[in-house]
Amino acid sequence: MSAVKGTNKRALKAQETRRRILAAAGELFVEQGYGATNLQEIAARAGVAVQTIYFTFTNKRTLLKELVDVTIAGDDEPVATMEREWFRTAMAAATAQKHLRAHIAGTRPVLERIAPIHKVIETAAATDPEVAAMWPADQPDPRYTVQLHTATVMMTKPGARRDVSPEEAADLLYGLLSTELFLLLVRNRGWTAQHWEDWAYTTLLPQLCD
């Protein structure tokens, strides 16, 4: 029993260390930029040895990739977006209108989390080919995959417009619920996230629902 407890304690300690490193990296990447931040600075802020970062993440690029994945998910659990509770709840909605409302409400916190590091990702990918290679342009966009899956189910429900295909619905969701548009309205134009959520719903509602 004591051996099991010891193993659990070590696992919890490693998980907490990982979270501290990710938090420190996120703060420094936003403050200084990805290129200007080195692992020694991240280690100092996280209160760990730099060797711990190498052992946990291998290098700065994979640390960035892990940071993006955790930021999108909201935690470090290995659960894909389409298996998340908010997504499954939206998929279970009885009507297209309720599905749309729940989907937008669930998307909003994801966009709020990713917004601070969006510029970091763009700049890093533009200046480091190995970072760009972590999100290959010739591979299906995971965000579009989520929107297409949503649209395919939503457009079969009561209240959905019958003259709009799932592919067109997915395009509309993909465009209006994009990080870029969220940042334009919330960060650049000063909208609240709630205002954005209400606007997205009222804009998409007549496009997708009767």
Side-chain angles (χ1 to χ4, degrees):
M1 183 65 73
S2 60
V4 173
K5 287 184 178 179
T7 301
N8 289 340
K9 284 184 179 180
R10 286 193 296 273
L12 289 172
K13 184 177 180 181
Q15 188 176 46
E16 177 56 32
T17 298
R18 187 183 191 89
R19 288 171 179 166
R20 290 208 316 274
I21 294 170
L22 287 168
E27 292 168 2
L28 286 166
F29 288 160
V30 170
E31 291 171 13
Q32 303 178 169
Y34 172 81
T37 301
N38 59 55
L39 293 183
Q40 287 78 8
E41 292 172 304
I42 296 171
R45 181 164 296 195
V48 301
V50 71
Q51 289 84 359
T52 301
I53 298 181
Y54 283 115
F55 178 78
T56 306
F57 297 99
T58 307
N59 56 47
K60 191 168 74 168
R61 295 183 187 93
T62 54
L63 173 56
L64 175 64
K65 179 64 165 60
E66 181 71 12
L67 175 65
V68 172
D69 291 345
V70 168
T71 301
I72 292 172
D75 56 49
D76 54 5
E77 297 298 321
V79 180
T81 296
M82 289 189 285
E83 294 300 321
R84 294 272 163 180
E85 183 177 353
W86 72 266
F87 189 86
R88 293 165 70 92
T89 298
M91 294 289 280
T95 66
Q97 292 91 338
K98 290 180 179 178
H99 190 163
L100 179 63
R101 171 61 88 177
H103 182 70
I104 295 171
T107 300
R108 170 184 155 186
V110 176
L111 294 175
E112 288 181 291
R113 288 193 299 269
I114 202 68
I117 66 168
H118 184 259
K119 188 66 175 179
V120 173
I121 301 166
E122 282 192 328
T123 303
T127 57
D128 188 332
E130 293 188 49
V131 170
M134 295 191 296
W135 294 281
D138 60 346
Q139 296 295 316
D141 186 335
R143 195 171 66 80
Y144 180 77
T145 300
V146 169
Q147 304 300 0
L148 180 59
H149 187 63
T150 296
T152 300
V153 174
M154 183 189 301
M155 302 312 288
T156 66
K157 293 181 176 180
R161 284 182 53 171
R162 299 306 173 196
D163 60 337
V164 177
S165 69
E167 291 76 17
E168 183 178 353
D171 288 344
L172 290 168
L173 292 170
Y174 184 72
L176 267 74
L177 306 185
S178 67
T179 308
E180 293 81 1
L181 186 53
F182 178 85
L183 287 170
L184 178 68
L185 296 175
V186 174
R187 184 184 63 189
N188 294 8
R189 299 307 307 155
W191 286 23
T192 65
Q194 184 63 56
H195 184 182
W196 171 87
E197 180 182 328
D198 294 340
W199 168 83
Y201 177 69
T202 56
T203 301
L204 283 166
L205 185 64
Q207 298 292 320
L208 303 179
C209 302
D210 290 330

